[in-house]
Amino acid sequence: MHAATSHLPRALPQFLPSARDGLQRFGLLHQPGAGRAVRGRVLFVHAFAEEMNKARRMAALQAQALARAGFWVLQIDLLGCGDSDGDFGDASWAAWQDDVRIGAEQLRHCGSSPLWLWGMRAGALLAAEVASQLPEPAHCLFWQPASSGKQLLQQFLRLKTASGLISGQGKGAMAEVQAQLDAGASVEVAGYQLPAALAKGLEKSRLTPPALAEASPPRHLLWFELSTQAEASFSPVAQQAHEAWRAAGWQLEAAMLQGPQFWQTTEIEEAPALLAATLAAMERHAG
């Protein structure tokens, strides 16, 4: 299904310093395929905690496909994640926003083709918040975006309280965890040391469309979700979000595709329909 490794465009490691903490962020920059006209620059903003690890293969496959089609693609590991400096317990939502800006700034060295912020799950929340803070207009590509950081955080915290609930000793466990975070303490969840600064920032995050200037050129949002069901439709929450982005002036293209929820499956899985639909849409909007 995929091109042989020897035919893939080169991917160059990037070590990007942060003025906030002096630590380096690791990135992987995929160059456009040889002989291809540059069609855009894409910054991938990964998912949260273990979802990031589960989604790495899909992100790599999509980055390679986009590069073959003529896009620059930068995959950046946020502070405390992947191969970047620091520990997860060092992270904050503000630092992660800075990291997205660092990645976008790095892509400015790759020319002036259209910029896309490609967010996966919590990465979509970060992309939406940072899009209005950049010195150039950015389009957005969302994979299974979280509707709110609060909902995602609650799902993550349930991993800590689940064992207690099953054993009958978990009454008030979620309230206790929340009290620790409110007091500024870190909480260990499924092997991750979750700092209060990250939890609070995530909790306040919403998938709110950035306001566009009246004379702003068209801004595109590609929104893809997966369902294991053949005839699934978007949730009412997602539909409301679609309307909000359209009302804010964004040109939305949304599709519900059939495939595994690879960011949370036990085994590493692929969703070919998502790869194909994303590439086709990106090529279409790149002209």
Side-chain angles (χ1 to χ4, degrees):
M1 182 177 68
H2 305 296
T5 302
S6 60
H7 296 151
L8 294 177
R10 283 198 306 158
L12 305 176
Q14 308 284 297
F15 299 93
L16 311 174
S18 168
R20 169 183 284 267
D21 50 36
L23 302 177
Q24 289 188 327
R25 308 301 189 258
F26 177 80
L28 198 59
L29 181 64
H30 301 262
Q31 299 183 84
R36 298 302 302 261
V38 176
R39 311 180 76 175
R41 296 164 295 144
V42 184
L43 176 64
F44 178 63
V45 189
H46 60 68
F48 184 79
E50 195 59 26
E51 290 187 350
M52 175 197 73
N53 295 323
K54 295 290 188 180
R56 272 198 181 278
R57 176 162 176 78
M58 277 292 293
L61 292 173
Q62 190 69 76
Q64 292 163 2
L66 288 170
R68 286 195 298 271
F71 292 86
W72 288 95
V73 185
L74 176 60
Q75 295 177 261
I76 187 171
D77 289 343
L78 304 174
L79 173 64
C81 301
D83 293 315
S84 285
D85 287 346
D87 297 319
F88 197 81
D90 300 323
S92 69
W93 195 249
W96 280 4
Q97 288 180 310
D98 275 356
D99 292 349
V100 177
R101 288 189 287 268
I102 288 170
E105 177 62 29
Q106 184 69 8
L107 282 171
R108 296 186 73 184
H109 298 295
C110 300
S112 58
S113 58
L115 175 65
W116 290 80
L117 299 181
W118 165 24
M120 169 79 194
R121 302 283 289 147
L125 295 170
L126 281 166
E129 291 186 10
V130 174
S132 62
Q133 304 168 12
L134 300 177
E136 61 178 309
H139 306 288
C140 288
L141 163 62
F142 292 163
W143 274 9
Q144 206 75 27
S147 58
S148 75
K150 183 176 182 179
Q151 181 185 45
L152 195 151
L153 177 64
Q154 292 301 308
Q155 292 171 351
F156 184 64
L157 293 179
R158 287 192 193 105
L159 296 175
K160 181 173 180 64
T161 60
S163 59
L165 292 171
I166 292 172
S167 65
Q169 300 174 351
K171 186 176 182 180
M174 184 66 80
E176 181 180 344
V177 170
Q178 194 66 56
Q180 288 179 261
L181 292 172
D182 290 342
S186 296
V187 176
E188 190 277 324
V189 182
Y192 291 88
Q193 197 67 30
L194 176 66
L198 178 55
K200 290 304 175 185
L202 175 61
E203 187 175 40
K204 294 176 182 177
S205 182
R206 300 289 184 274
L207 199 65
T208 304
L212 303 181
E214 193 169 320
S216 174
R219 301 278 278 280
H220 299 287
L221 168 59
L222 305 179
W223 182 310
F224 296 109
E225 293 192 31
L226 286 171
S227 172
T228 56
Q229 305 300 316
E231 299 295 332
S233 57
F234 286 106
S235 69
V237 172
Q239 292 177 30
Q240 291 174 6
H242 294 170
E243 291 307 312
W245 281 76
R246 288 192 181 101
W250 287 74
Q251 298 187 2
L252 172 71
E253 177 180 333
M256 176 69 74
L257 307 167
Q258 186 175 13
Q261 297 184 328
F262 57 87
W263 59 94
Q264 60 184 19
T265 54
T266 302
E267 302 296 328
I268 301 301
E269 296 199 46
E270 297 179 21
L274 177 59
L275 297 173
T278 300
L279 179 60
M282 290 290 288
E283 289 186 309
R284 187 164 56 252
H285 287 289

